[in-house]
Amino acid sequence: MTTLEFSLFLFVTSIAAGLLGALSGLGGGVVIVPLLTLIFRVDIHYAIGASLVSVIATSSGAAAAYVREGFSNIRVGMFLEIATTLGALVGAWLTTRVPTHAIGIVFGVVLLYSAFTALKQHHDVITQRPDPLALRLRLLGSLPISPTAHQDYVAQRVPAGFGLMTLAGTLSGLLGIGSGAVKVIAMDQAMRLPFKVSTTTSNFMIGVTAAASAGLYLRSGYLAPALAMPVMLGVLLGSLIGSRLLVRIHVRTLKIVFALVIVALGVEMIVNSLQGKL
């Protein structure tokens, strides 16, 4: 395969990865890292470096549209970014010091369980008593559900969500997958935010988290332009397409897509970890 063919194949595949990442809030790294390591036999450190660049592109492409439409909650995202950025720095520091296969197995099991609970639970309408800490921090908002109607919401169980975000950031820096799955789970299931708010705010956050990790990979020489450029361009285009589709898709459909993606990711993480490929 020539360099041009390799780049074109990466670009086309990255479009699909960006589309999926924008719709699910997971980031394109869930496809990019396995693609580079398993099919093209790229060293995992270089694959993670390219994946982090793609995650930044996904966030940049989708976040602006979601903010404009009123779906993303910037205040919630910036508060939780404190946890994810610190976690990302720790994860990037640990990447050369801790074997990732054990973490991959645990992560895969958590994702499989989360896929089940994401489909089972229905809490888009918030009826619980508002969390006093969330009210003090003003972690609340209004979700547009139609051109003339909005749904008010307030975050719940803020400390639990903050703790899960720290874990998400650590996994992002360690595995280069954006950890959007954990972010969505933390906001949707722990903090009880509406699902569309969770996915769109995750898209806003993953870019900041990935940028914190990417700097360390750049310093270590693991960002290869020949890999990162076609991946970044493809994911950016896919994320722009996905951001336009999300506002028209029903929440139940989004949850099914989310569950299918993280089931595939969970199985893939477990298998690759057992085979020593992570």
Side-chain angles (χ1 to χ4, degrees):
M1 180 180 292
T2 66
T3 302
L4 179 59
E5 291 173 341
F6 175 80
S7 299
L8 287 175
F9 185 76
L10 266 186
F11 175 73
V12 173
T13 308
S14 298
I15 293 175
L19 175 64
L20 183 61
L23 288 176
S24 62
L26 301 181
V30 297
V31 177
I32 297 302
V33 172
L35 176 73
L36 292 177
T37 55
L38 301 181
I39 297 179
F40 295 104
R41 303 299 179 184
V42 174
D43 180 83
I44 191 169
H45 293 96
Y46 289 96
I48 291 175
S51 173
L52 290 171
V53 174
S54 79
V55 168
I56 297 171
T58 301
S59 178
S60 302
Y66 294 150
V67 171
R68 184 173 60 250
E69 296 290 340
F71 288 93
S72 299
N73 190 312
I74 303 301
R75 191 173 186 88
V76 171
M78 293 304 295
F79 170 71
L80 295 176
E81 269 302 334
I82 299 172
T84 56
T85 301
L86 290 175
L89 292 174
V90 172
W93 179 78
L94 288 173
T95 189
T96 58
R97 294 169 173 81
V98 176
T100 59
H101 63 273
I103 297 176
I105 294 173
V106 175
F107 187 37
V109 172
V110 171
L111 290 180
L112 293 177
Y113 173 76
S114 301
F116 170 75
T117 56
L119 290 176
K120 182 179 178 181
Q121 295 185 6
H122 303 278
H123 49 255
D124 285 321
V125 178
I126 304 302
T127 58
Q128 292 180 310
R129 186 175 180 180
D131 187 328
L133 181 58
L135 293 177
R136 179 174 296 182
L137 296 174
R138 291 188 290 164
L139 303 180
L140 44 84
S142 180
L143 172 68
I145 55 178
S146 74
T148 58
H150 290 74
Q151 172 191 329
D152 295 329
Y153 61 87
V154 180
Q156 306 291 324
R157 298 188 291 184
V158 175
F162 195 87
L164 283 174
M165 286 296 175
T166 304
L167 173 62
T170 303
L171 290 171
S172 175
L174 191 60
L175 301 176
I177 58 174
S179 66
V182 181
K183 290 183 174 71
V184 173
I185 291 164
M187 288 183 279
D188 175 55
Q189 298 182 21
M191 300 179 72
R192 295 296 193 266
L193 296 176
F195 195 73
K196 282 192 176 182
V197 174
S198 300
T199 57
T200 55
T201 304
S202 171
N203 267 290
F204 165 74
M205 295 175 62
I206 58 177
V208 182
T209 308
S213 306
L216 295 179
Y217 279 86
L218 176 63
R219 191 176 70 174
S220 301
Y222 290 132
L223 283 181
L227 286 175
M229 183 59 70
V231 168
M232 179 188 68
L233 293 177
V235 168
L236 180 59
L237 179 58
S239 66
L240 289 172
I241 297 171
S243 66
R244 294 181 178 274
L245 293 177
L246 181 134
V247 297
R248 300 177 176 88
I249 297 178
H250 193 270
V251 169
R252 182 65 179 174
T253 304
L254 279 178
K255 287 197 172 188
I256 292 173
V257 172
F258 175 79
L260 290 175
V261 171
I262 62 177
V263 163
L265 175 60
V267 172
E268 182 179 62
M269 292 286 287
I270 293 172
V271 171
N272 289 343
S273 297
L274 292 175
Q275 294 177 350
K277 295 180 180 179
L278 276 182

